[in-house]
Amino acid sequence: MLVLGIDTSTVSTSIALGTEHGPVASVQVASQTPSHETVTPALTGLLEWAGASLASVTGLAVGLGPGAFTGLRVGVAMAKTLAQSLGVPIVGTPSLDVVAYPMRQTRRLICATIDAKRGELFYAFYRPLPGGVARETGFEAGPPSRLAAELETRREDILLVGNGSLLYRQQLEVAGIHVELASATRGYPDAASLVELAVPRLQREEFDRLYDLQPYYVRKADAEIAWDQRRRAG
């Protein structure tokens, strides 16, 4: 089994190849260049470095966000197109789950975050379990002050991970000494972790239907918000 993972939910485009035995190759490109301009060259380079071809891929894994609207559409559309053209199964995983997963060895409650722009961040809470993490809340979008208030109400040690918490570090650290920030090296969804999460589902044949596979936007796009504001003003 050779699985291709793609996550374009943030400014860091991440692509990886892996099998049931572990990772094969991965590339992560953190850039302000739009995802549609980086994902194809990154994929081409990854396949070349790994000595693999698209024809050898037997499954697709894609990050579903929440995250950047345009980036999400690019990644999900590409993964669905590849799955359809190659005739292989696909599974989608929330990008916040992918951010939280590498922290599964901690004993703390995990809060995974992604920068949502406009002074907000996406976040969700996770409980570490043997071999993985379990999401305890839904996906939220809000200002760092809202998350800081929620952190203060939770009377347990919390590990913050993701670029959202790094961006708003000062506002979130006021929540108290029971809050710790993970390393900046864990700031973005990693497609290698995405593949690791997807392999067991692919082995159990828990595939997603292409039609049903949609990004988690959580909130309206900037264009929709601007339209609503103009309509109310009129």
Side-chain angles (χ1 to χ4, degrees), residues 206-219:
E206 296 176 358
F207 313 140
D208 289 315
R209 294 188 300 180
L210 286 176
Y211 181 81
D212 294 334
L213 204 59
Q214 300 295 332
Y216 294 106
Y217 291 123
V218 179
R219 70 179 187 194

Side-chain angles (χ1 to χ4, degrees), residues 176-215:
I177 59 173
H178 68 294
V179 175
E180 177 184 344
L181 270 73
S183 167
T185 60
R186 298 298 187 183
Y188 299 100
D190 177 14
S193 294
L194 174 64
V195 169
E196 188 173 348
L197 286 166
V199 164
R201 288 184 56 193
L202 290 166
Q203 290 178 319
R204 296 192 299 265
E205 299 186 359
E206 296 176 358
F207 313 140
D208 289 315
R209 294 188 300 180
L210 286 176
Y211 181 81
D212 294 334
L213 204 59
Q214 300 295 332

Side-chain angles (χ1 to χ4, degrees), residues 61-180:
V62 62
L64 300 177
F69 279 75
T70 302
L72 282 174
R73 287 194 291 268
V74 168
V76 172
M78 171 176 254
K80 291 169 72 170
T81 298
L82 286 173
Q84 188 171 32
S85 62
L86 295 172
V88 299
I90 186 172
V91 294
T93 301
S95 299
L96 281 172
D97 291 10
V98 180
V99 172
Y101 180 69
M103 302 293 105
R104 59 192 179 280
Q105 302 297 331
T106 186
R107 295 185 177 181
R108 294 170 175 258
L109 180 67
I110 301 164
C111 179
T113 67
I114 288 176
D115 178 24
K117 306 300 183 182
R118 297 207 312 265
E120 295 185 338
L121 65 167
F122 300 115
Y123 62 92
F125 287 88
Y126 297 79
R127 184 72 58 183
L129 298 173
V133 296
R135 193 181 336 121
E136 289 198 337
T137 67
F139 305 128
E140 300 289 341
S145 57
R146 182 195 300 173
L147 176 55
E150 186 164 353
L151 295 173
E152 287 188 74
T153 63
R154 291 179 176 267
R155 299 302 179 185
E156 59 182 311
D157 292 336
I158 300 172
L159 178 64
L160 285 165
V161 61
N163 71 325
S165 55
L166 293 169
L167 181 63
Y168 298 108
R169 181 182 193 129
Q170 291 185 331
Q171 294 96 314
L172 297 175
E173 284 184 329
V174 300
I177 59 173
H178 68 294
V179 175
E180 177 184 344

Side-chain angles (χ1 to χ4, degrees), residues 52-69:
S53 66
L54 278 177
S56 62
V57 171
T58 57
L60 265 292
V62 62
L64 300 177
F69 279 75

